[in-house]
Amino acid sequence: MAGPSKAGPALRLLRKGQVERAAEMFKKLLQQDASDLGCMVGLARAHLARKKFDEAQPLLRQVLSQVPDHGEAQSHLAFIDFQNGNAPALDVLKRLTLSRKAGFFEFFNAGTALLQRGDDQGAQVALERAKQADQKSPQVRVALAQMHMKRGDFRDAIAELKVAVELAATDPLPVLLLSQAYAAMGEAGHGADAVGKALLTQPQSAPLHERMVEVSLLAGWPQKAIKSAIALRQINRLNPDYAYMHAVAMLASGLVSEARHILEGALQKEPKSAALRQALAQTMRLMGEEAKALAMLEETAQHKPGDPGVAADLAVAYLKAGDAAKAQKVLKRALEEHPTHPVLLYDLALALGKAGDKAGARATAAKARASTDPLVAELAAYLLQRLG
Amino acid sequence: MAAPADPKKPAASPPAPARTISGELGVAPAARYAGPDPKVVCGLLEGAGAPDQALKVVAHITGAPSPVTIGSEMVPALRGAVRTHLDLNLPPGEKPQPVGGAPVFELELALTRFHDRAYAVARVGPGVPLGDSDESTQTGLQKAAWKLPRPC
């Protein structure tokens, strides 16, 4: 009988996430002892982690030739079959979870396949069992949290994600999802706190800084948004999006002329961006340059008539000038591309109301009131009251 | 009499305009903003429920409102919300190109990679006895006993 496997050190490397180095070590050990089962399983895992299914398959078959009831190897092979489009492999994956000896991978593979098949209930059962088998797997926590978020159970998602953040402290993904769940709950401040904590260990993470700008703005903390926008610009000076985010954060902080200055610089790099031109027009208007702002919006609308921000700003300018027909025209054109856009719907309700079409105004305002944006929902409710 | 200029020293350049911490040129004091407070209120354009979707945060600039008269009532019109990210103007299906050498972060791809990492980082043994690992068939007590000084 073969002695104990020498896979230990390579497995430890694999667990640290050093997949390439671990794979090399497994290969070397297998050259010394081609029958080392632990190394075969380890190398197969390394291949699966890199989606190299074709390389994992022969190793797993070899494991089964020596230990025919090796549950993990059977599960991985069935999972690869399922990924290759063999639907009945799902039944094999389910059957393997029923074994008394079933371990983490049997449950994890079945849960993932069930999730892909759209069987959320079955997936949840399998993933909960996977969680019991390995309490410290951040992947299972994230998978469960994704299912909770899909169903709108944000509290449960937050509970799982908090653990995932602790378990995968150097990966930005769990924190990104956690802040998203908090934002969906209307608790953007908690999201900003979580991102801020993660930034202490990952100060150069662009996705984390981007999220910090977003959730800080949502939480009403523009200073934090400015700080992260500046960090983003230091990470990548060439990205015009980061300059734009910086300008929006400055605008939110009341620094209008500074924001305009940054936007004018970014416009040279992205002259066709409707978002940039719209933000610039808003700074011009705030600075009292109404004619200049209108000219910029009209020029932008010619190139991008469906842009919701530009259309809404133009409509407001036309409504202010008393031209409800022109306002309706630009709004209806943009609504063709964005039929549920809350601001477009709200402004159209106003334009219809101003033109005397109260029934049309009421119906449109009711649609705007359903918006998840609290400001639009509140104003739409007020408009409905006024319309009677 | 002034000392002759040292030909080895470079001529003094005119003072550069002040820069902000981010490298922006400072705004001249004459251009300081004196208009209304923009009063920015941020919100989500869409619900943030889908875990594979990016957060769509928008900023409403509600300062200096534009009221519209409907009958005898004055109702504020709402300007277009300013997005917090640039529109990329990409054709449908095309992915953004890296800017400045930095790879573009794609949430969906990040989710897949994170998921696949489970096969590497799982803390479960390979289902066979290991000779040199935490998953050895020896119990903790046996390992500790091995390290204890042997009786004489």
Side-chain angles (χ1 to χ4, degrees):
Chain A
M1 189 188 150
S5 169
K6 289 180 179 164
L11 271 174
R12 282 197 285 275
L13 271 184
L14 195 61
R15 276 174 205 159
K16 282 181 190 162
Q18 297 181 29
V19 182
E20 300 295 334
R21 278 187 65 198
E24 286 310 312
M25 198 185 264
F26 283 129
K27 280 178 193 168
K28 270 185 195 163
L29 288 165
L30 281 168
Q31 278 169 4
Q32 290 165 18
D33 178 5
S35 65
D36 190 322
L37 280 174
C39 288
M40 283 183 221
V41 174
L43 186 54
R45 284 186 192 173
H47 289 320
L48 285 164
R50 294 171 297 173
K51 276 212 163 32
K52 292 183 174 176
F53 294 152
D54 290 346
E55 290 177 48
Q57 262 174 331
L59 287 161
L60 294 165
R61 286 199 190 106
Q62 227 173 317
V63 172
L64 288 180
S65 70
Q66 290 189 44
V67 186
D69 65 344
H70 195 283
E72 181 185 338
Q74 289 182 66
S75 173
H76 288 328
L77 276 173
F79 184 70
I80 292 170
D81 268 0
F82 181 75
Q83 297 304 310
N84 290 336
N86 180 13
L90 186 60
D91 293 331
V92 180
L93 285 168
K94 282 194 217 169
R95 186 173 49 75
L96 287 167
T97 62
L98 301 175
S99 162
R100 204 167 46 84
K101 286 187 196 166
F104 172 78
F105 282 115
E106 285 89 316
F107 297 121
F108 184 69
N109 284 335
T112 305
L114 286 163
L115 208 54
Q116 287 171 353
R117 175 56 70 84
D119 180 356
D120 285 9
Q121 238 175 343
Q124 177 148 10
V125 174
L127 289 170
E128 289 286 357
R129 299 283 302 274
K131 186 168 90 174
Q132 284 169 15
D134 184 0
Q135 291 277 336
K136 293 192 171 177
S137 166
Q139 284 77 19
V140 172
R141 306 281 179 163
V142 164
L144 282 167
Q146 280 181 274
M147 292 177 63
H148 292 314
M149 284 173 85
K150 217 165 128 188
R151 282 200 299 262
D153 298 336
F154 294 110
R155 280 276 163 244
D156 290 340
I158 287 168
E160 296 290 2
L161 288 167
K162 275 182 173 175
V163 182
V165 167
E166 301 275 323
L167 292 170
T170 55
D171 197 309
L173 189 87
V175 188
L176 292 177
L177 293 177
L178 178 61
S179 60
Q180 186 153 348
Y182 273 128
M185 290 283 296
E187 297 172 6
H190 287 312
D193 286 342
V195 177
K197 207 172 156 192
L199 277 168
L200 294 177
T201 50
Q202 304 169 64
Q204 292 297 307
S205 168
L208 280 182
H209 279 297
E210 284 189 36
R211 178 53 51 87
M212 191 59 162
V213 173
E214 292 163 345
V215 285
S216 299
L217 286 173
L218 268 180
W221 300 338
Q223 290 305 318
K224 283 195 174 195
I226 291 174
K227 202 174 155 195
S228 266
I230 289 171
L232 282 170
R233 296 188 72 184
Q234 284 167 346
I235 291 169
N236 188 346
R237 288 182 180 277
L238 299 173
N239 193 335
D241 193 29
Y242 295 162
Y244 176 76
M245 290 170 91
H246 187 192
V248 174
M250 296 290 259
L251 201 51
S253 202
L255 300 165
V256 179
S257 54
E258 288 84 348
R260 180 176 175 174
H261 182 73
I262 298 170
L263 289 169
E264 281 169 345
L267 190 67
Q268 289 170 10
K269 288 182 194 163
E270 286 288 327
K272 287 182 182 171
S273 165
L276 212 159
R277 294 170 76 90
Q278 183 211 350
L280 186 54
Q282 291 225 14
T283 61
M284 288 169 174
R285 186 188 53 79
L286 283 163
M287 293 174 83
E289 298 171 35
E290 301 262 0
K292 223 171 167 179
L294 184 65
M296 172 152 282
L297 289 170
E298 284 182 330
E299 188 192 332
T300 312
Q302 276 179 358
H303 298 293
K304 281 202 160 182
D307 187 272
V310 174
D313 282 8
L314 261 182
V316 172
Y318 292 144
L319 280 171
K320 204 174 164 188
D323 196 340
K326 229 172 169 178
Q328 280 187 48
K329 196 178 164 191
V330 291
L331 290 167
K332 283 178 179 168
R333 172 65 186 84
L335 277 164
E336 283 172 19
E337 286 180 36
H338 304 276
T340 57
H341 197 283
V343 175
L344 293 176
L345 287 168
Y346 172 77
D347 281 340
L348 182 61
L350 270 184
L352 290 167
K354 187 156 181 70
D357 179 2
K358 283 205 169 185
R362 268 195 291 269
T364 316
K367 286 184 200 167
R369 193 177 50 178
S371 166
T372 50
D373 190 327
L375 180 71
V376 184
E378 191 187 323
L379 285 173
Y382 177 74
L383 176 61
L384 275 169
Q385 247 180 23
R386 300 294 104 187
L387 288 166
Chain B
M1 195 182 135
D6 185 349
K8 287 179 188 167
K9 279 189 180 172
S13 54
R19 282 180 184 271
T20 62
I21 192 165
S22 63
E24 287 300 321
L25 283 175
V27 181
R32 283 272 167 235
Y33 178 68
D37 180 354
K39 289 181 193 156
V40 176
V41 180
C42 291
L44 289 171
L45 183 61
E46 292 163 12
D52 52 350
Q53 292 293 314
L55 264 188
K56 288 186 179 168
V57 179
V58 290
H60 297 287
I61 297 166
T62 59
S66 292
V68 174
T69 318
I70 298 178
S72 59
E73 299 284 347
M74 297 279 274
V75 186
L78 203 49
R79 288 197 171 78
V82 172
R83 280 159 277 183
T84 48
H85 286 278
L86 276 185
D87 44 341
L88 296 167
N89 295 309
L90 292 173
E94 198 164 304
K95 290 188 174 175
Q97 294 295 310
V99 183
V104 179
F105 178 79
E106 288 178 59
L107 188 59
E108 212 180 316
L109 185 64
L111 278 167
T112 310
R113 284 198 180 141
F114 186 80
H115 172 275
D116 292 347
R117 216 167 299 145
Y119 294 100
V121 300
R123 303 165 76 90
V124 287
V128 290
L130 293 174
D132 176 23
S133 145
D134 299 338
E135 293 86 28
S136 163
T137 46
Q138 282 183 318
T139 63
L141 211 59
Q142 282 171 316
K143 280 183 196 171
W146 183 80
K147 287 177 188 169
L148 287 172
R150 288 165 193 268
C152 299

